[in-house]
Amino acid sequence: MRLGRYAAAALAGGWLLSGCALSVNQELELGQDYAAQLARELPLVDDPAILADLELVTRRLTPHTRRREVTYRFYVVNDSTVNAFAVPGGYIYLFRGLIEAAGSMDQLAGVIGHEIGHVELRHSAEAIGRAQAAEAGIGVAGVLLGGRTGARVQQGATLAGTLVFAKFSRDDERESDSAGVALLTQAGVNPGGLAAMFETLQRLERSRPSAIAQWFASHPMTEDRIEDVNRRIAADPRATALLQTGERDAPEFERLRRNVRPLPPPPRRR
Ligand SMILES: [Zn+2]
């Protein structure tokens, strides 16, 4: 999934209407603007212990990324919806609901690897280039973010008025899954974690459908994706070996999940 705050800049610059992908500098600038706005609009967790443990998990993957101009940054959103998204330029938002739902470190790492994949492959920059003008803006951020946070954003309308949602294609999602598997493999983490997370989400969809409806809306065809991920692993001997020997869990993940669970919900804004 992806958000992009580009409407004003795009219209001012004129490049959007020409249908070109964003340049790297444009992508980084828009990402920075957007992250600043999200910091004001989203209930981000600032607990140092939680962020330190998240960093210990993400640090397994980030050394293996290829885009030297991107510094990956990770945030925890205090919202129990199972959701995650990445913003152009390497800002990645993990909802507490996702962390709580993950059964083990490799499952969370799988989703993080998938979101990193969208950034590595510049999906948003390309999608923004494909998008037509800013007419899709209203309500899009709320719809995309989903859950209570989405409702709050829609009420606030500040984000919704300035954002356009660039929806990813199935190919984009498949490529990001593949990139996620590759990252897990390079990191020595069990690459089956991504497929295991999909299975966790399928179980959750049956038991607590409202919690993850949004994730499924933006990441559909989970059965196919599990099969694709398994095929991708089977095609790579190193990945296949890591199904047995790869890292599955870590004390920092267990601690992260334990510390996220009792977090009180954010105060209501309005
Ligand atoms: Zn995705």
Side-chain angles (χ1 to χ4, degrees), residues 1-2 84 114-115 118 123 168 172-174 176-177 215 218-219 225:
M1 69 185 60
R2 186 57 42 89
H114 170 92
E115 296 301 336
H118 279 311
H123 286 156
F168 291 144
D172 286 349
E173 295 300 345
R174 203 172 290 124
S176 288
D177 286 345
W215 198 88
S218 60
H219 291 82
R225 290 176 72 191

Side-chain angles (χ1 to χ4, degrees), residues 9-28:
L11 293 170
W15 41 261
L16 175 70
L17 299 175
S18 69
C20 300
L22 295 183
S23 73
V24 168
N25 282 340
Q26 285 169 329
E27 179 194 355
L28 296 179

Side-chain angles (χ1 to χ4, degrees), residues 87-233:
V87 164
Y91 304 86
I92 294 177
Y93 298 81
L94 305 163
F95 284 44
R96 68 180 289 186
L98 177 82
I99 294 168
E100 291 174 76
S104 44
M105 184 276 292
D106 55 348
Q107 296 189 17
L108 180 64
V111 173
I112 293 170
H114 170 92
E115 296 301 336
I116 289 175
H118 279 311
V119 177
E120 290 284 290
L121 296 161
R122 302 195 76 231
H123 286 156
S124 58
E126 287 171 15
I128 287 169
R130 283 195 302 267
Q132 300 294 312
E135 61 205 12
I138 296 303
V140 165
V143 170
L144 178 64
L145 292 169
R148 282 188 290 279
T149 299
R152 206 157 43 238
V153 168
Q154 273 184 325
Q155 280 161 20
T158 46
L159 268 181
T162 51
L163 294 175
V164 174
F165 168 37
K167 194 169 177 1
F168 291 144
S169 69
R170 291 176 172 209
D171 283 345
D172 286 349
E173 295 300 345
R174 203 172 290 124
E175 281 174 22
S176 288
D177 286 345
S178 215
V181 167
L183 274 175
L184 294 179
T185 301
Q186 285 173 290
V189 173
N190 168 33
L194 181 56
M197 188 73 204
F198 291 152
E199 284 161 8
T200 296
L201 293 168
Q202 284 182 318
R203 279 195 299 277
L204 254 183
E205 190 189 28
R206 289 191 283 274
S207 62
R208 202 157 64 94
S210 62
I212 59 158
Q214 181 52 39
W215 198 88
F216 273 83
S218 60
H219 291 82
M221 48 152 206
T222 298
E223 282 294 349
D224 290 0
R225 290 176 72 191
I226 292 172
E227 284 169 26
D228 282 348
V229 164
N230 289 335
R231 256 197 300 276
R232 169 79 176 71
I233 293 169

